[in-house]
Amino acid sequence: MSKNTLKQLCELYTNLTAEDMVILNNIAFTLQLQADLNNAYMFIDCKMKDSEHAIVVAEAFPRSEEAVYENSVIGKIVFESFEPGVFYSYRTAKKSHTGYAVTQEGKSVEQSVIPIKNSVHQVIGVLISEKEVFQQVPYRTDQQNVSFGQEELSKILGNNPSEMPLVSDLLMEIFLLSDNENKLIYANPVGVSFITEISQQDEIRNKNIIGLLPFLQAVYDFKEDVFIFDLTVERKNLIVKKIRMKEKDHLKGTLIIIQDVTELRTKEKELMMKSVVIQEIHHRVKNNLQTVASLLRLQMRKGFPEESKVYFEDTLNRIYSISSVYELILANSNADDEDVNIVELTKKISSTMVLNEINKKVSLIIQSNGNRILTTSRKAVSIALIINELVQNSLKHAFPEDAQGQIEVDFFSDKDFLELHIFDNGVGMEKPKLSLGLEIVQNLVINDLNGEFRYLPTEQGTHAVITFPISSEVVIYYEKENIDS
């Protein structure tokens, strides 16, 4: 395989960088040597962009008389249903070894898979080694989620084909088996009902399966021995799996597994429509908040008593804080995701308020212990208003005139509670004075967060703490080792 072929496939089907491709190409350069040395078939597979599948980008076959693969498989799509070890190594970055596996070409092989990583330890591909086995060997695997117990299954099913429905009769998938002349020789009960409905024929045994189900013509004509098709037939959405069963070079039959996903696709469309509606609601809420803010600014420009200015500014900040929640929701790449990262929310609100105080030399520090903290939009609105009030209080009262200072917002957690600390090194206060802002904070902490709000004594400045329980609405992703509060 040429260097250009690997590069072209990676550029066309993956999101890999030029540096990643160089790493893969260096490994591909050694594949033939590895194949001859180990008498094994070597491959490099890479995950496809915008897809759950993988693609073969490099291969090398041992130079021997017996051939497991008669034709090149470069550019072939790899499905997890048929080669789970490949995807296990991708997900876990661990080696996978299957003592007995069936490839997408219908070959029985011993398969080993190891992940290929780049300079930042990301898995960019997998290196696969396969050796053909001609009889079942003791099964051994180092991973989960890979089928096992083939020998035990054959003992339960028996060698008599009449015993086969013992399992397949209980499944909702349609199981159809045709012989080497494409005559239907087996159908499970669901399959019988499906064929009868589609073909309007009662006598279906030993009939040509394509005559009964004409839409399978393209499936049978497709050259790959193992493949998955998405088809739409008479308003039915079907996933069709085809497996050609061969003995050496002779076709013994073809197994067709059909899954009717019409109801699933309908529900997916309904959820998509609901998602679009929810997104539109978020847009309208954000736009309405911006309209209210614009009206307040217009009123401020028209003139008002000087003593009212502070109330207008406080109200504008509160509106902006709520609006920030919806901006973060709308920025999510997943339209169904309404969770808000409250660390990002805190940065957005606090930094904007500090920047707006152009006459004050105040620096802002926000620490989250390296963790992502997600919460629902409802709780996020409450947290946004709390952050707004407490940071605003520090900006207003902690640093008179042109005094320099610092405001710090820290997040601490243990397994049960999350604590939000807001403190400054300003002039401090003897006793918190009851105000509308503190009343808003108190009510939101108690009623919305089911938590506690208090001031802690400190030698300099003020130190406010909000404590509330971690629940199903508050999720913490510990990306770094946490420091308990």
Side-chain angles (χ1 to χ4, degrees):
M1 187 210 70
S2 70
K3 175 180 178 181
N4 288 337
T5 303
L6 184 147
K7 182 180 179 183
Q8 289 169 359
L9 287 171
C10 289
E11 288 178 343
L12 189 59
Y13 294 106
T14 76
N15 289 319
L16 297 177
T17 66
E19 180 187 355
D20 295 337
M21 295 178 205
V22 170
I23 296 171
L24 293 176
N25 186 71
N26 290 337
I27 296 174
F29 185 75
T30 68
L31 282 189
Q32 188 60 58
L33 185 64
Q34 295 184 59
D36 291 335
L37 179 65
N38 299 306
N39 195 31
Y41 291 77
M42 306 298 301
F43 306 94
I44 296 176
D45 290 3
C46 295
K47 284 288 290 291
M48 300 174 70
K49 61 184 176 183
D50 304 323
S51 172
E52 295 300 317
H53 311 314
I55 187 169
V56 182
V57 298
E59 66 180 16
F61 298 170
R63 287 181 273 250
S64 60
E65 295 181 1
E66 297 293 332
V68 174
Y69 293 87
E70 297 175 358
N71 301 305
S72 171
V73 294
I74 288 179
K76 175 174 281 191
I77 296 174
V78 179
F79 300 97
E80 183 169 7
S81 302
F82 299 117
E83 301 204 24
V86 170
F87 294 85
Y88 169 84
S89 290
Y90 244 109
R91 281 193 295 266
T92 64
K94 297 178 180 179
K95 178 181 177 180
S96 160
H97 178 79
T98 305
Y100 180 78
V102 180
T103 71
Q104 285 187 202
E105 289 68 34
K107 305 291 185 177
S108 299
V109 297
E110 179 182 354
Q111 184 186 73
S112 295
V113 185
I114 60 172
I116 302 171
K117 301 178 183 179
N118 60 14
S119 58
V120 292
H121 304 292
Q122 295 173 324
V123 178
I124 59 174
V126 292
L127 179 64
I128 304 165
S129 170
E130 292 180 355
K131 294 182 180 181
E132 186 172 17
V133 293
F134 298 96
Q135 59 183 2
Q136 291 189 359
V137 296
Y139 183 82
R140 182 171 66 86
T141 180
D142 299 326
Q143 78 274 13
Q144 297 176 343
N145 299 326
V146 178
S147 62
F148 61 90
Q150 290 92 340
E151 186 174 350
E152 287 76 7
L153 180 62
S154 65
K155 290 178 182 177
I156 293 174
L157 293 178
N159 296 320
N160 188 342
S162 64
E163 298 178 21
M164 185 175 176
L166 199 142
V167 171
S168 58
D169 282 5
L170 302 177
L171 301 178
M172 294 304 296
E173 287 83 0
I174 297 161
F175 275 67
L176 308 175
L177 181 63
S178 62
D179 62 14
N180 58 356
E181 296 180 348
N182 297 342
K183 292 180 180 179
L184 182 65
I185 57 175
Y186 169 76
N188 67 344
V190 181
V192 173
S193 299
F194 178 79
I195 296 176
T196 304
E197 178 187 350
I198 297 292
S199 68
Q200 297 297 305
Q201 296 185 38
D202 294 327
E203 293 296 327
I204 61 176
R205 178 173 292 190
N206 292 322
K207 294 289 184 69
N208 186 288
I209 191 170
I210 298 174
L212 295 170
L213 303 174
F215 68 87
L216 289 180
Q217 180 74 60
V219 174
Y220 274 77
D221 288 346
F222 196 70
K223 66 178 182 179
E224 300 289 349
D225 289 336
V226 179
F227 209 78
I228 300 177
F229 304 81
D230 282 298
L231 302 176
T232 301
V233 180
E234 296 185 7
R235 297 186 179 181
K236 292 180 181 290
N237 298 113
L238 307 176
I239 295 177
V240 181
K241 297 180 181 180
K242 178 191 73 171
I243 305 169
R244 284 199 184 105
M245 295 177 292
K246 294 182 176 180
E247 185 173 3
K248 294 186 177 180
D249 296 331
H250 301 292
L251 176 67
K252 294 177 62 180
T254 303
L255 177 63
I256 300 292
I257 304 171
I258 303 175
Q259 183 180 4
D260 188 343
V261 293
T262 306
E263 186 177 351
L264 178 62
R265 294 286 186 264
T266 301
K267 289 181 178 179
E268 286 176 351
K269 290 178 182 177
E270 290 174 355
L271 288 173
M272 193 177 298
M273 288 300 298
K274 288 179 181 178
S275 175
V276 171
V277 171
I278 290 171
Q279 287 289 92
E280 179 61 25
I281 291 172
H282 290 329
H283 270 292
R284 292 188 182 186
V285 170
K286 183 174 81 74
N287 291 341
N288 289 339
L289 288 169
Q290 291 176 343
T291 299
V292 173
S294 298
L295 291 173
L296 285 174
R297 291 191 187 96
L298 180 62
Q299 181 63 54
M300 292 173 71
R301 286 197 294 270
K302 291 291 184 182
F304 52 84
E306 185 63 28
E307 62 270 17
S308 301
K309 180 180 179 181
V310 65
Y311 301 113
F312 276 87
E313 290 177 344
D314 288 352
T315 302
L316 279 172
N317 283 334
R318 289 165 187 149
I319 293 172
Y320 170 76
S321 299
I322 299 173
S323 177
S324 296
V325 174
Y326 293 95
E327 284 185 21
L328 291 176
I329 292 173
L330 292 169
N332 286 337
S333 57
N334 182 357
D336 294 329
D337 188 0
E338 291 190 49
D339 287 342
V340 178
N341 186 330
I342 60 175
V343 177
E344 292 300 319
L345 179 65
T346 301
K347 290 178 182 178
K348 184 176 180 62
I349 294 170
S350 302
S351 59
T352 299
M353 285 194 292
V354 170
L355 289 172
N356 285 341
E357 294 290 340
I358 56 177
N359 297 321
K360 294 196 175 183
K361 301 175 182 178
V362 177
S363 60
L364 176 68
I365 298 175
I366 296 176
Q367 298 188 32
S368 65
N369 244 3
N371 301 325
R372 284 195 308 133
I373 306 171
L374 303 183
T375 188
T376 59
S377 56
R378 182 181 66 84
K379 282 191 182 291
V381 169
S382 299
I383 292 170
L385 288 171
I386 290 168
I387 295 289
N388 172 78
E389 298 301 331
L390 295 177
V391 172
Q392 190 170 250
N393 275 353
S394 290
L395 287 170
K396 278 184 182 179
H397 308 298
F399 311 106
E401 298 177 355
D402 60 349
Q404 295 186 9
Q406 178 178 291
I407 298 174
E408 186 168 338
V409 183
D410 288 355
F411 294 86
F412 298 101
S413 68
D414 58 26
K415 65 178 182 179
D416 297 317
F417 290 93
L418 177 66
E419 288 190 0
L420 172 59
H421 293 246
I422 300 175
F423 47 92
D424 61 65
N425 59 354
V427 297
M429 57 182 175
E430 293 183 2
K431 185 178 181 181
K433 295 180 180 179
L434 187 62
S435 64
L436 176 60
L438 290 183
E439 190 174 341
I440 289 173
V441 172
Q442 191 75 30
N443 286 332
L444 290 174
V445 171
I446 293 174
N447 298 322
D448 286 6
L449 303 182
N450 194 28
E452 178 187 8
F453 168 57
R454 66 193 188 280
Y455 279 101
L456 297 182
T458 179
E459 293 182 0
Q460 182 182 4
T462 58
H463 186 173
V465 181
I466 294 93
T467 305
F468 57 96
I470 296 172
S471 65
S472 58
E473 292 185 282
V474 181
V475 181
I476 302 177
Y477 293 93
Y478 297 101
E479 297 179 357
K480 291 183 180 179
E481 186 176 348
N482 195 41
I483 303 172
D484 290 340
S485 59

